[in-house]
Amino acid sequence: TGAYIGANAVIQSLKMEGFPELSSKKITSYETKIGDMSKMLQMQDYFPEENIVSVSEFFDSEVEILYSKKSSALYNRKAKSTINNGKELYVVGDSFANYLFDSLMHVFDESVVIHRNDYKAGMAEKEKTDIVLFEFVERHIGQAKNMADIFIPKSDVKKED
């Protein structure tokens, strides 16, 4: 449900129509697992497994997965939906991007998600996407500075005196 809420915040920040309230939707648990933060802190014995859930029955669009390739903790995927709003999304992120993408792919004509380790300079531009979402959570946030070097060409960076 956190990814649903996060994806909703993303689309609302883009001035797009938000998702319906969670209380009105069917939430289904499809697996349980220990959270990343619990493992990082070596506290998995103190925190129970979390339910991994999917929110269904709320998207009007259908989605076709054009490709899906496993890459570390993420499936690099490209999707095409029937939403027909003229908007395209490119997501570069960590494993949390998987869950965000499950909702976001329904509200863009085409969308791509790629793991941060697989992203190379120019890949988003090659897709000619409208919106690039750079998503990092938890322990890899320090790598965001290095990724900014890829997204922001040196000629665009102003030198401070």
Side-chain angles (χ1 to χ4, degrees), residues 32-50 139:
T32 59
K33 69 182 222 179
I34 299 290
D36 285 350
M37 291 299 285
S38 298
K39 286 189 230 175
M40 274 180 43
L41 299 170
Q42 299 295 311
M43 307 250 335
Q44 58 269 31
D45 293 340
Y46 300 97
F47 292 101
E49 289 187 334
E50 301 171 309
R139 64 191 171 274

Side-chain angles (χ1 to χ4, degrees), residues 97-114:
N98 265 334
Y99 303 106
L100 279 176
F101 192 73
D102 288 342
S103 294
L104 290 173
M105 69 182 174
H106 287 271
V107 295
F108 292 90
D109 283 352
E110 286 193 5
S111 49
V112 172
V113 63
I114 187 164

